[in-house]
Each structure stands twice: as C-alpha cells, then as structure tokens.
Amino acid sequence: MQTDTAVALPRARSGFDQFQVEQIEVRTVRLRLNEPFETSFGSIDSRLIVLVSLEGNGLTGWGEVVAAEAPRYSYETVGTARHVIRDYLAPVILAQPLTDLDDLHARFAPFRGHNMAKAGLELAYMHLLAQTRKQSLSQLIGGTRPAIAVGVSLGIQPTVDQLLRRVEQYLALGYQRIKLKIKPGWDVAVVREVRRRHPNILLSVDANSAYRLEDVAELQALDEFDLLMIEQPLDHDDLVDHAKIQSMIKTPICLDESITSSRCARQALELGSCQIINIKIGRVGGYSEALAIHDLCYAKEIPVWCGGMLESGIGRAHNIALASLPGFTLPGDISASSRYFARDVIVPPVTVSANGTVEVPQSPGLGFDVDLDYLSTHTENVERIKIKNSTT
Ligand code: OSB
Ligand code: MG
C-alpha cells in the first residue's frame, strides 16, 4: 500500500456549488429477495427499503436509507428513519441553500444518532452535487479504482450441503471472497467443511455479535482455518472486549456494527479492538464520516472494505463509488443485483465480471438510471416535504 498518505483528495468541500434544495421525497419500496437471508439475528425474505430524493438546481439526487424493518442490526428502523427525516433532518436541509458536504454534516450534527437516516440524505446530496459538477460519484470523492474487487456474504443455510453448493456457485461466478455468516452451533464444523474443499480461497466469517467473551474457545478454534477475518464477534457497541479477544486469537478481527463514527474508528484502533474495518456509509452517517474513516485507516495502513446491507441498486451504486477509494484493499460485500433481486431499481443492473470485479462508472452522477416506472409499481408510501414558500 502507498505510504505517502498526504493525498489531497479532491473532495466536495468548496463553496462554489451553493443551491437550494426545494423538495425532499421519502419513499418506501418493497423488494422480494431471491432467497431468504439468514443471519444470527434471524431470517428475512424481502426488504422494505427507504429511498430518498432531493430536488434542486433542476436535478434529482437519490439516496438509500439502509435501516431494516426491525431494530436488530441497529436500533434504527424504517419507521424511525421516516420520522427523523420528516421532522428533523428535512427541515434543516430546506431551511437555506446548502454550500457543501461539510455544511450538510454540520446541520445534522446537533441531532444525536440516526446515522442511517442522515446517510440516506447525504447520499442523495452527493448524487445531486455530482450531477451539478458533471462528475461521477467516484470522481467527486477522489476515487482512484476503475474496477473494484467483490465478494459474497452467504447467509446461514438449512444444511452444510446447501452451503457448500452456494459456495461453489459463487466461486464459479468469479467472486473473490466468500463470507460465511456464523452463530454458535453453525461455526467451527461448518467452516472446517468449506475450508477442506477450498483450501486456497479468501474466506471470512461474520458473527453479527452472536458471541460473548466467555466463548473465546470457539473463536480460537477458528484460528486453524486461515480466515481473512472474523467480523463482529461481540456486542454491537463493544470495543474493550473486542480488544481482549483480539489479543487471544490469531485471526484478525474486523469490526462492523461497533464502528459508528470516525472517532469510534480511531478509538478501536488505539485500543487494538480490530485490525480491519468494514465501512458502511449508512452505519456511520454518510459520506463525511465514511471518508474520514477511510482517510484515517489509509494513513495507518489499516485495510478497509465496503460492507453491504442488501441494498437496492441505488445504495449499491453509492457503495461502488466508495469502494473506488484507494484504501479499499479488500473485496467488498457488493454483489451483482441478481444475487439479491429478480429485478433491480436501476438500469443497467450491477454485474460482476468473471474475475470478481465490478466496474466503477465514469459517467456523471450515479452511473445508472433509476427505473422510475418499476419503482412506482413497488412503492408502498411516498411523502414529499417542500420549502415553506414553494408554490409547486
Ligand atoms: O453484517 O454485513 C452484515 C446484511 C444485512 C445486515 C448486516 C450485514 C449484511 C450482510 C450482507 O452481510 C451484505 C450484502 O449486502 O451482500
Ligand atoms: Mg457484518
């Protein structure tokens, strides 16, 4: 990795793009998953997705709120996001013209938490800004990669045989890394079987907080399988016990749920709670914090990768842009649209090449068209919030 970290990334921080957002739309869309996705939290077979759009400058910018319906991965839900956007975040956007991403971030800062709600709006703002500047999202944030490496996250399966078939299927499609969801009772024996058949693949596991400090023996037992990482073994808000566990196992710990801000990332690295960070724009509150975590890790040579939340194509397009930054050195959980949905909300859908990469679009904006007709047939609810003196 490059050690010259004084990179002056051309970021969207100058004040020359000031414009007034005139309307904010908050839409919920239900998309069926091709197959149920099971984690240590439980199983889901569809996603109720909150999409937000900002209108201003004669343009529309799209973002996605990655909150789930139930407060399991995080305390945020579709319901809390709609409430917080409508009653608190939208009004501060509409209050006066926005100058840049820092301005938006500063307006949100007085409201505690609700990172996914904030992120959805930051994504939409950055899409709008990219169009205004006629840049791709990747160019706007200083991305350097023409294509990104991707992996797949495989949910807990009914049987080990079914899991093994899934592993084969995704390796055949070219995916560069396989991540297995684990929980007590679906861990060491399962990983052993996968590793036995695939001695050389990049393999990782994600526990979504299913273990306790007392379970260290199970986690130590995973050391023999040469895993790339163990993602989030302990509690969602824990750093201290993760540092203890990290000192007792060889496999690098990667934190997901526990990293909710750049301050938190710095503290995790200082404490030795992890050696790798999964960056999800939604979990950390948007591009501002995601870029700050990237820059911090890049300076310290800590590998990062882009996590996923079973997003629609809109969230996925933003993830692709984020993963084009130079510090994203490990394959992301950014799979093809067809891995999740029969049909995606963007055209063309995201595709993965035979060598496990996704191309980073270079055209202005998102790099994909939002399929408004398809969206409208799957929309359950739309709310529009306008500036007070607007006549439209
Ligand atoms: O922990 O990374 C996670 C999906 C929903 C919630 C949490 C997680 C995940 C995944 C799926 O692992 C990643 C993807 O979008 O493919
Ligand atoms: Mg995870």
Side-chain angles (χ1 to χ4, degrees):
M1 192 188 290
Q2 250 175 280
T3 48
D4 173 20
T5 53
V7 281
L9 298 177
R11 295 277 165 75
R13 296 199 186 276
S14 69
F16 300 120
D17 304 289
Q18 178 164 311
F19 56 83
Q20 175 68 50
V21 174
E22 279 139 23
Q23 175 170 288
I24 299 175
E25 189 186 271
V26 184
R27 174 191 294 262
T28 50
V29 174
R30 188 173 295 278
L31 298 180
R32 274 203 82 69
L33 290 168
N34 286 337
E35 57 182 28
F37 189 75
E38 183 176 339
T39 66
S40 59
F41 305 131
S43 182
I44 55 165
D45 54 20
S46 72
R47 289 277 288 113
L48 184 64
I49 296 176
V50 179
L51 296 175
V52 294
S53 58
L54 302 186
E55 282 170 37
N57 237 359
L59 299 163
T60 303
W62 287 90
E64 177 163 345
V65 176
V66 298
E69 289 180 77
R72 296 192 192 280
Y73 171 87
S74 103
Y75 64 83
E76 290 188 81
T77 66
V78 166
T80 65
R82 287 176 51 187
H83 155 57
V84 169
I85 291 172
R86 186 204 316 113
D87 295 340
Y88 301 103
L89 305 178
V92 299
I93 293 181
L94 297 172
Q96 54 188 341
L98 277 166
T99 50
D100 55 21
L101 182 60
D102 285 345
D103 178 17
L104 182 59
H105 193 243
R107 292 190 203 186
F108 287 169
F111 303 110
R112 185 167 296 168
H114 297 283
N115 282 355
M116 294 174 178
K118 291 172 179 172
L121 293 164
E122 275 204 10
L123 298 186
Y125 172 71
M126 291 293 270
H127 179 208
L128 204 48
L129 196 56
Q131 293 171 83
T132 304
R133 293 189 177 185
K134 299 191 168 45
Q135 285 183 315
S136 68
L137 278 172
S138 169
Q139 283 161 348
L140 179 67
I141 63 170
T144 54
R145 298 172 190 279
I148 57 168
V150 301
V152 68
S153 169
L154 297 179
I156 294 165
Q157 304 289 318
T159 65
V160 175
D161 276 348
Q162 274 164 280
L163 176 64
L164 290 169
R165 277 202 292 278
R166 285 280 175 275
V167 171
E168 302 277 335
Q169 181 191 342
Y170 285 99
L171 289 174
L173 288 170
Y175 286 87
Q176 296 191 30
R177 183 228 58 205
I178 301 286
K179 164 171 137 183
L180 308 176
K181 291 289 188 180
I182 58 165
K183 64 177 182 182
W186 181 269
D187 48 25
V188 181
V190 175
V191 175
R192 176 173 287 115
E193 287 308 305
V194 174
R195 186 46 108 193
R196 195 158 64 83
R197 283 171 180 74
H198 304 283
N200 300 318
I201 61 169
L202 287 184
L203 185 63
S204 69
V205 295
D206 185 357
N208 288 113
S209 303
Y211 295 85
R212 307 278 78 92
L213 194 52
E214 305 80 76
D215 301 324
V216 63
E218 266 72 38
L219 301 174
Q220 284 168 331
L222 292 171
D223 273 343
E224 70 173 283
F225 304 118
D226 192 27
L227 299 176
L228 187 59
M229 67 190 92
I230 298 179
E231 191 177 335
Q232 196 71 35
L234 306 181
D235 270 320
H236 71 100
D237 56 355
D238 175 80
L239 294 180
V240 173
D241 286 351
H242 275 116
K244 283 190 194 154
I245 289 260
Q246 182 66 92
S247 72
M248 293 187 273
I249 65 176
K250 291 202 224 75
T251 309
I253 288 178
C254 168
L255 290 179
D256 173 352
E257 285 89 326
S258 288
I259 306 297
T260 52
S261 66
S262 56
R263 173 170 53 83
C264 188
R266 174 182 57 75
Q267 291 172 344
L269 298 177
E270 282 174 14
L271 285 168
S273 314
C274 63
Q275 299 178 32
I276 299 174
I277 291 179
N278 159 338
I279 303 184
K280 289 180 180 167
I281 318 182
R283 193 191 67 228
V284 304
Y287 274 109
S288 308
E289 288 293 316
L291 294 171
I293 295 171
H294 166 269
D295 294 356
L296 170 79
C297 291
Y298 193 62
K300 293 184 181 299
E301 299 192 25
I302 297 293
V304 302
W305 54 281
C306 182
M309 293 291 288
L310 310 174
E311 289 92 344
S312 81
I314 291 175
R316 195 170 314 283
H318 285 280
N319 287 346
I320 293 167
L322 184 71
S324 74
L325 292 170
F328 283 76
T329 54
L330 294 171
D333 276 348
I334 303 174
S335 304
S337 296
S338 59
R339 182 259 182 281
Y340 308 93
F341 311 110
R343 181 169 162 185
D344 206 338
V345 305
I346 53 167
V347 182
V350 174
T351 54
V352 172
S353 75
N355 52 358
T357 61
V358 169
E359 226 180 275
V360 178
Q362 301 302 327
S363 54
L366 213 51
F368 300 88
D369 290 328
V370 176
D371 187 341
L372 292 170
D373 291 339
Y374 184 63
L375 263 191
S376 64
T377 61
H378 284 67
T379 295
E380 294 195 349
N381 181 284
V382 190
E383 277 179 274
R384 293 192 182 87
I385 310 145
K386 298 181 191 208
I387 44 175
K388 288 210 179 66
N389 58 3
S390 165
T391 50
T392 49

